[in-house]
Amino acid sequence: MKVISIFSSFREKDLGSILAGCVRKDAQAQRLLFNRCAPRTLTTCRRYETKGLDAKDILQETFLTVFEKIEQYNPEKAAIETWINRIAVNTALKMLRKQQPAWVELDRLPDIPEEAEPEINGLDELTEEQILEIIQELPVGYRTVFNLYVMDDFSHADIAETLGISVQTSKSQFFKAKAMLRQKLNDQKKTAKCMNF
Amino acid sequence: MKEDFNHIKKRLRDYESPIHLDEAWEALQEQQQKRQGKWKRTATVLLLLLLIGSCGTCLLLGKRNGSHMPLPTQEVVFQDKDVPVEQQNSSISGASNAHHAIRENATLTQTNQHTTSAVGQSSIASNFSDKPSLSTYNFQKQSSNSSDNTQKTDTSNKNMLSISSPAPAQSSVYEQGPVSGSTSSAVIPENDRTDSDARPLQEKAGNDLTWVAPAPAMPAPWRMWWIDVLPEKTFGMAARPSQTLLLPLVKIDLSPIRPARKTAIRKTVYLSAGALLTQQNFKSRTTEQAEYAALRSRTESGLPGLSTDLGISLEVSQRNYVDLALRYDTWYDQFVYQYEQSKEYTLTNVLLGVVQYEPIGTQVRVYGDTVITGTQTVKATYYNRYAAADLRLAFGRTLWESHRFSLDMTAGMSANIYKKIQGHIADSGLANNVMDLQHMPYKQTLGLGAYADLRLNYRLASWLDLQLRPSAILGLSDALQSNAPSSAHFRRTSLQLGLRTRF
């Protein structure tokens, strides 16, 4: 009964108390933080998921790092979700690099017929799961550049430095990722039409 | 460009993926606990390894120091067929007194040459016994002016090579002419080695160095194997009693400290080779050897050689791994040592005295042979080639990692499973000037040591790295036999360049 009451008291407490509990390595506080942030962090992890790298593994590593380095979190600089999200991105990149650094061979990916500034339409009509699926279907190199640039606010210079590629390569990969994304969207629309018939 | 995706970005940022929180939390907690307890476990395993290794070495050395490995003792007894032994002994003093005899028409002949040809191989050992060496034959350097050395017959120390009265027929008195027909015979008793206490070979354990994956049902985190290493034929020492070196090999079940993740454990195989510098640190156990050991330690501070490594790394967590490797080193040395050696010379046709026959009033001069002891400076040059194979178990950690480069550090234990010393000594004191070191019973020890290295990797391809590797092995146990007059510790540092492949 006592445990339940403590647990419920934590639930009611604000984020500050939870973080303070995490600093003290309190398991209940850690659990609360995990419950609160894990679903969104998993979305980030899924964006970087590959064949050999499971999103749940990234999530696990991310939260292990979070609990380990929680003292370093400064609430004045960023929200806890943003901080955890950045840790998730870094962890995913690290694990990807360890696994198979696919972006080394970015330039060897199949060429996509370049068109002037392809526009992406129709993404808004899709659900989040469908968008995630489409992103996951992109080759690892394209996807990593796309994720970093679009979703995680990296500049091309940052991407180039992080992945060890040139800025120009990063730009061209983003362009190609967009083109492939558009192609996939068109394919999906065609499939949807066929299904309607 | 980027703004096209702002809406999706916002949607995905706020999107909560479906997840079984309880399940994920349990997995996380389990992983967290393992990570916390991992260092304790690692330290325990290391301590256990050290303990088992030390016990194994102590046991082996203890057995070796007991009746297991009797040192070879050779006695070379020179006998004159015609003169009784007592008379020979009494004649020695006469011979030594005769140093001051008048030397007329004296010719010097080296008795050693006679004995060498007479006793063959055993006489090589007796010649060689006059200088210090690495071997377990206890060679005592004879003092330069010991004219009484010929009288010394030290049988108390079995390690000493004893030479009894190598004075051929000093007491024989002849008139006008050298001794003829004075033959020497060498009696070399059989070594009192027995094979009865030699440990039988454990064929079941065999020489299987394969790291077999542990059965998952085995609850113990580690198990032990004993591995035979056969020094007898391998080391080219057929004369030695059969013996078995047992290598304690601890097999660690890595499953308890493996992270509970779906991704498979990464295995990295590497092969590297490079230059080696070895330092031999000799220590003397006897005062006679002190000068020699000090000189040799000073001289042999950087012996060149080659080093090869073949190993496998098993990742236990994201940055840490266990490293198991076989390392083969070979290095060379050339050591020059000068020493004084006592030498026996036979003076023939020496005037031993004058006999006065009173009644007649005539004098008879008595001539004969006598042996005197002198000294000579001997220059011995050692040419050795060492070879050693070590089995290494180490823990590694990736210290730093970038796009193409990574820096790793490993540290652990090294067990010497094989050692071979080949070479020869060019010695001006020897009859044929060269002695093959195969007669030298070097200890083929199972030496434990500490090991550490740094690895700088440069990725050439997704599966292949170029590796630059400075490493060091510090031998913790003696490289030579424990009851030898001198012992050596080896410190090996190497810089290797190699390839590393992942699978």
Side-chain angles (χ1 to χ4, degrees):
Chain A
M1 287 297 288
K2 197 179 175 184
V3 175
I4 293 168
S5 63
I6 290 170
F7 191 78
S8 56
S9 69
F10 257 124
R11 198 173 289 170
E12 290 158 10
K13 280 181 183 173
D14 58 348
L15 185 65
S17 308
I18 294 173
L19 292 177
C22 288
V23 171
R24 290 195 306 271
K25 308 285 180 200
D26 188 301
Q28 287 169 355
Q30 288 178 342
R31 174 74 194 264
L32 285 173
L33 185 69
F34 182 78
N35 284 354
R36 182 171 172 152
C37 302
R40 282 186 194 177
T41 312
L42 185 60
T43 309
T44 306
C45 299
R46 284 175 66 192
R47 285 195 277 114
Y48 289 93
E49 190 177 32
T50 61
K51 255 186 187 175
L53 184 59
D54 195 78
K56 284 179 186 169
D57 286 346
I58 306 173
L59 183 76
Q60 203 176 66
E61 283 297 324
T62 303
F63 272 92
L64 284 172
T65 313
V66 166
F67 294 147
E68 202 176 306
K69 315 240 166 156
I70 192 74
E71 294 95 342
Q72 296 174 14
Y73 169 63
N74 185 357
E76 292 170 5
K77 283 189 179 171
I80 186 72
E81 288 86 359
T82 314
W83 186 68
I84 293 175
N85 192 62
R86 179 47 72 99
I87 289 177
V89 171
N90 288 342
T91 308
L93 286 176
K94 203 185 291 176
M95 290 172 86
L96 269 173
R97 196 183 295 132
K98 273 207 119 184
Q99 234 213 2
Q100 286 298 331
W103 47 79
V104 175
E105 299 173 10
L106 279 177
D107 290 328
R108 293 183 208 163
L109 285 170
D111 281 337
I112 290 170
E114 294 191 13
E115 294 171 18
E117 201 62 26
E119 287 178 11
I120 306 288
N121 295 316
L123 271 176
D124 296 345
E125 299 158 13
L126 301 173
T127 63
E128 285 85 355
E129 282 295 325
Q130 283 171 325
I131 296 169
L132 272 174
E133 270 173 29
I134 288 174
I135 291 174
Q136 279 174 347
E137 279 172 14
L138 290 173
V140 181
Y142 290 170
R143 176 152 39 108
T144 310
V145 173
F146 179 81
N147 274 330
L148 289 173
Y149 185 67
V150 175
M151 314 302 289
D152 298 315
D153 292 330
F154 276 60
S155 67
H156 279 302
D158 291 341
I159 294 169
E161 197 186 333
T162 310
L163 302 185
I165 56 176
S166 68
V167 175
Q168 198 52 43
T169 309
S170 174
K171 282 180 182 171
S172 77
Q173 292 311 307
F174 174 64
F175 183 84
K176 287 173 183 174
K178 262 177 80 175
M180 192 174 261
L181 211 56
R182 194 174 64 131
Q183 199 176 321
K184 283 187 183 299
L185 274 172
N186 290 336
D187 290 349
Q188 201 170 43
K189 277 178 190 172
K190 278 176 195 169
T191 316
K193 272 181 189 174
C194 291
M195 293 286 281
N196 288 338
F197 278 118
Chain B
M1 252 164 82
K2 202 172 175 179
E3 290 72 28
D4 299 345
F5 299 100
N6 273 349
H7 184 58
I8 304 168
K9 184 180 160 186
K10 200 183 170 191
R11 280 176 64 190
L12 282 182
R13 187 167 284 177
D14 296 335
Y15 178 64
E16 294 187 349
S17 292
I19 179 174
H20 294 288
L21 282 170
D22 291 340
E23 198 180 299
W25 174 250
E26 272 172 26
L28 180 68
Q29 256 193 334
E30 192 186 336
Q31 179 66 17
Q32 205 172 6
Q33 279 168 5
K34 275 176 187 168
R35 199 169 274 194
Q36 280 167 0
K38 195 169 59 184
W39 293 113
K40 283 182 191 171
R41 255 197 305 276
T42 308
T44 314
V45 167
L46 270 176
L47 274 174
L48 269 172
L49 273 172
L50 201 63
L51 194 68
I52 291 162
S54 308
C55 287
T57 311
C58 287
L59 277 171
L60 286 170
L61 292 178
K63 278 208 179 288
R64 188 76 50 87
N65 291 339
S67 61
H68 193 61
M69 282 283 293
L71 284 170
T73 306
Q74 293 190 355
E75 283 188 2
V76 182
V77 180
F78 294 88
Q79 290 179 335
D80 195 307
K81 281 179 181 173
D82 303 321
V83 184
V85 176
E86 297 80 23
Q87 200 178 338
Q88 284 185 36
N89 288 336
S90 64
S91 69
I92 294 168
S93 57
S96 56
N97 290 332
H99 295 166
H100 309 290
I102 304 160
R103 301 177 186 185
E104 280 187 15
N105 303 322
T107 56
L108 291 177
T109 49
Q110 293 190 7
T111 54
N112 272 349
Q113 285 182 354
H114 293 295
T115 55
T116 304
S117 58
V119 299
Q121 197 176 42
S122 65
S123 69
I124 294 175
S126 71
N127 278 327
F128 188 68
S129 69
D130 288 334
K131 63 183 177 296
S133 80
L134 286 173
S135 83
T136 52
Y137 290 102
N138 193 347
F139 301 123
Q140 55 175 357
K141 197 171 71 177
Q142 295 184 10
S143 61
S144 57
N145 55 354
S146 60
S147 62
D148 293 331
N149 266 359
T150 51
Q151 299 178 43
K152 284 183 182 174
T153 309
D154 188 357
T155 53
S156 61
N157 188 352
K158 284 288 178 188
N159 296 338
M160 298 279 182
L161 184 140
S162 56
I163 300 174
S164 64
S165 63
Q170 295 93 328
S171 64
S172 304
V173 176
Y174 303 95
E175 285 198 5
Q176 295 289 341
V179 178
S180 61
S182 168
T183 56
S184 298
S185 66
V187 181
I188 304 170
E190 283 289 318
N191 291 337
D192 53 346
R193 300 169 181 152
T194 56
D195 287 351
S196 59
D197 54 351
R199 300 181 69 158
L201 304 181
Q202 296 183 359
E203 290 183 356
K204 273 192 175 180
N207 290 331
D208 185 12
L209 292 177
T210 320
W211 186 284
V212 186
M218 181 62 74
W222 56 271
R223 283 169 281 164
M224 189 194 285
W225 268 253
W226 291 92
I227 287 182
D228 289 350
V229 181
L230 308 176
E232 202 166 32
K233 284 186 177 176
T234 321
F235 299 158
M237 299 175 66
R240 304 195 68 193
S242 71
Q243 52 190 294
T244 305
L245 296 180
L246 294 177
L247 166 68
L249 181 69
V250 176
K251 192 161 85 168
I252 305 165
D253 187 353
L254 294 172
S255 56
I257 52 175
R258 187 189 304 168
R261 289 185 302 181
K262 287 178 187 174
T263 48
I265 284 189
R266 287 205 315 152
K267 293 180 267 306
T268 307
V269 174
Y270 58 86
L271 175 69
S272 58
L276 174 75
L277 272 184
T278 304
Q279 185 177 359
Q280 303 195 99
N281 188 23
F282 279 86
K283 278 183 185 170
S284 167
R285 290 203 176 87
T286 58
T287 48
E288 288 89 351
Q289 297 284 314
E291 184 199 348
Y292 167 78
L295 180 67
R296 189 146 195 189
S297 291
R298 246 194 342 269
T299 312
E300 306 203 319
S301 57
L303 305 176
L306 296 169
S307 180
T308 311
D309 256 275
L310 177 65
I312 183 165
S313 300
L314 301 170
E315 196 179 72
V316 292
S317 71
Q318 198 175 345
R319 279 179 171 269
N320 303 309
Y321 53 86
V322 174
D323 189 70
L324 180 72
L326 191 65
R327 177 185 169 116
Y328 180 80
D329 291 342
T330 176
W331 66 96
Y332 308 89
D333 83 320
Q334 183 184 339
F335 175 66
V336 181
Y337 187 61
Q338 277 193 342
Y339 60 96
E340 297 289 321
Q341 187 187 41
S342 65
K343 202 78 178 174
E344 288 161 352
Y345 302 99
T346 302
L347 300 174
T348 58
N349 214 11
V350 178
L351 177 63
L352 296 176
V354 178
V355 179
Q356 176 82 36
Y357 293 94
E358 283 295 337
I360 308 168
T362 56
Q363 288 182 345
V364 177
R365 290 169 179 259
V366 179
Y367 292 89
D369 294 351
T370 187
V371 174
I372 60 163
T373 306
T375 58
Q376 66 169 5
T377 303
V378 176
K379 184 180 174 186
T381 311
Y382 294 71
Y383 300 95
N384 287 333
R385 185 176 78 82
Y386 299 80
D390 301 294
L391 193 66
R392 205 183 56 225
L393 183 64
F395 286 89
R397 183 170 171 79
T398 305
L399 299 175
W400 167 76
E401 204 171 23
S402 78
H403 172 55
R404 277 195 180 275
F405 287 97
S406 69
L407 184 67
D408 293 25
M409 191 185 82
T410 62
M413 291 175 58
S414 156
N416 179 247
I417 55 170
Y418 168 77
K419 183 174 280 130
K420 187 176 182 182
I421 306 171
Q422 276 187 328
H424 65 272
I425 300 171
D427 191 332
S428 59
L430 293 176
N432 56 358
N433 205 28
V434 169
M435 180 178 178
D436 192 348
L437 276 185
Q438 282 196 347
H439 297 282
M440 310 277 283
Y442 284 95
K443 183 185 177 186
Q444 316 298 330
T445 182
L446 177 72
L448 283 178
Y451 171 86
D453 75 1
L454 275 176
R455 301 171 186 188
L456 182 65
N457 305 304
Y458 177 77
R459 199 177 56 244
L460 296 171
S462 59
W463 55 275
L464 191 68
D465 289 354
L466 189 68
Q467 194 173 60
L468 187 69
R469 214 149 74 91
S471 67
I473 291 184
L474 172 65
L476 296 177
S477 60
D478 286 355
L480 301 181
Q481 215 157 25
S482 55
N483 48 1
S486 63
S487 67
H489 284 236
F490 292 108
R491 259 177 281 171
R492 279 171 273 162
T493 51
S494 66
L495 183 66
Q496 298 174 342
L497 190 66
L499 291 175
R500 186 172 89 152
T501 180
R502 276 187 293 267
F503 63 90

